[in-house]
Amino acid sequence: MGMFFAEDTVHSDGGRLTGFDRYREVLERDFISFMLCGLVTLAFFLPFALGMAYAILSTSALVMLAACVFGGLFAGPGLYGMYDLLFRSLRDAPGEWWKNYRKALAENWKSALLPGVVFCLFLGVVIFAGLLMFWWAEALPSWGTIAVYVVSVLITTMFFAVYWPQLVMFKQSNFLRFKNCILFCIKYFWHTLGVSAIEVVYWAAIALFLPWSVLVLPIIGLWFVLFLANFLLYGDLNQAFRIEEEIKEHFPEQAPCYDDPWEVEE
């Protein structure tokens, strides 16, 4: 399948591949599921996108706030389902993606409403602030202002990169999730910062190449950068939160089974 997909190569002892081989293996296995789930998630983000488009055309912050609140009520559950699929894939959980997706949303959509609104408010403020500084302003901002803007976006993205996995994996209070986000970002600062930078650069590229970048959204849109970010961070997340141990203990039906491993092909 070329440079983006793995050949049929798995450890003979039933364990997992590591590094880039693992990356290619997961992509080959779940590419179609990721793409289809990405399309569904894009549909959930459509109210937010349409509302933001109108807010930008009308240059109205009030419309932006309304679009973020209303759109977040749809975007939150959609993003929850996307994260649920990604983490099932990363831990090799069994089951058909659409069945798992519907079950996850049916059982947990309410818990994703408030995070969805907050997340969309963050996106809305970032978009409006960026337009205000680089498009609507008569003069370009100072380097100090740009630095504050970029650092703020990176730090907030770091927070969400740890918050959403916790929301999907565990039943916790928001206070505990917030506390865990801070502690995790401190302990794994450089890893989390790197993942955050990848996400920010990706979406900055999408924004810079609009409207042509819209053409790639149905294929790699929301899912690819989230898959890449969580793939890179999964080891740290699993070490910090004992994801696979907790899943195996409380949801044994979701635990992977390697009793019948494939043979390694030379």
Side-chain angles (χ1 to χ4, degrees):
M1 296 291 289
M3 66 178 294
F4 296 107
F5 299 104
E7 299 177 357
D8 294 332
T9 307
V10 180
H11 286 304
S12 59
D13 63 355
R16 294 175 183 169
L17 295 170
T18 58
F20 189 63
D21 288 332
R22 171 64 173 170
Y23 165 84
R24 295 192 305 168
E25 175 200 9
V26 176
L27 267 188
E28 180 189 49
R29 185 189 66 203
D30 295 325
F31 174 78
I32 298 299
S33 299
F34 289 159
M35 187 175 66
L36 293 175
C37 185
L39 290 172
V40 175
T41 308
L42 281 175
F44 274 101
F45 269 84
L46 193 57
F48 169 73
L50 293 176
M52 283 300 301
Y54 181 71
I56 292 171
L57 292 174
S58 61
T59 62
S60 172
L62 289 178
V63 174
M64 181 269 290
L65 291 174
C68 292
V69 173
F70 180 75
L73 297 177
F74 294 90
L79 198 55
Y80 183 101
M82 182 82 255
Y83 269 92
D84 182 79
L85 171 64
L86 290 174
F87 276 88
R88 285 178 187 270
S89 177
L90 290 172
R91 65 177 192 268
D92 295 331
E96 194 269 329
W97 83 269
W98 179 238
K99 180 179 179 181
N100 289 333
Y101 187 93
R102 287 183 300 166
K103 182 178 180 181
L105 286 190
E107 296 178 353
N108 302 287
W109 65 272
K110 291 182 180 180
S111 65
L113 295 178
L114 180 59
V117 171
V118 174
F119 181 71
C120 285
L121 284 171
F122 161 66
L123 292 180
V125 170
V126 167
I127 293 170
F128 251 61
L131 290 172
L132 182 63
M133 290 191 300
F134 301 109
W135 189 259
W136 293 332
E138 295 182 357
L140 289 177
S142 66
W143 286 107
T145 301
I146 295 175
V148 170
Y149 175 78
V150 172
V151 170
S152 299
V153 172
L154 284 172
I155 291 176
T156 310
T157 304
M158 289 172 65
F159 173 85
F160 281 115
V162 184
Y163 182 89
W164 281 102
Q166 290 185 83
L167 180 67
V168 171
M169 294 292 172
F170 311 113
K171 299 294 184 182
Q172 301 170 322
S173 66
N174 280 318
F175 174 79
L176 182 57
R177 292 191 192 105
F178 187 85
K179 176 183 176 182
N180 287 340
C181 286
I182 295 175
L183 295 176
F184 185 93
C185 289
I186 292 174
K187 183 175 181 179
Y188 302 100
F189 176 78
W190 293 111
H191 288 182
T192 315
L193 179 63
V195 164
S196 174
I198 290 173
E199 294 190 49
V200 171
V201 170
Y202 176 85
W203 288 112
I206 293 292
L208 287 173
F209 288 99
L210 286 172
W212 305 111
S213 55
V214 174
L215 298 176
V216 304
L217 288 181
I219 302 174
I220 64 171
L222 293 175
W223 70 264
F224 178 72
V225 69
L226 291 180
F227 164 70
L228 179 59
N230 286 288
F231 175 83
L232 294 173
L233 208 58
Y234 184 75
D236 295 333
L237 290 168
N238 189 40
Q239 182 180 26
F241 299 115
R242 300 185 301 113
I243 294 173
E244 300 202 18
E245 291 182 28
E246 292 290 329
I247 292 294
K248 186 175 182 180
E249 179 180 353
H250 298 288
F251 303 98
E253 72 280 0
Q254 296 184 24
C257 179
Y258 302 115
D259 292 338
D260 186 23
W262 302 331
E263 293 183 356
V264 175
E265 291 186 4
E266 299 294 341

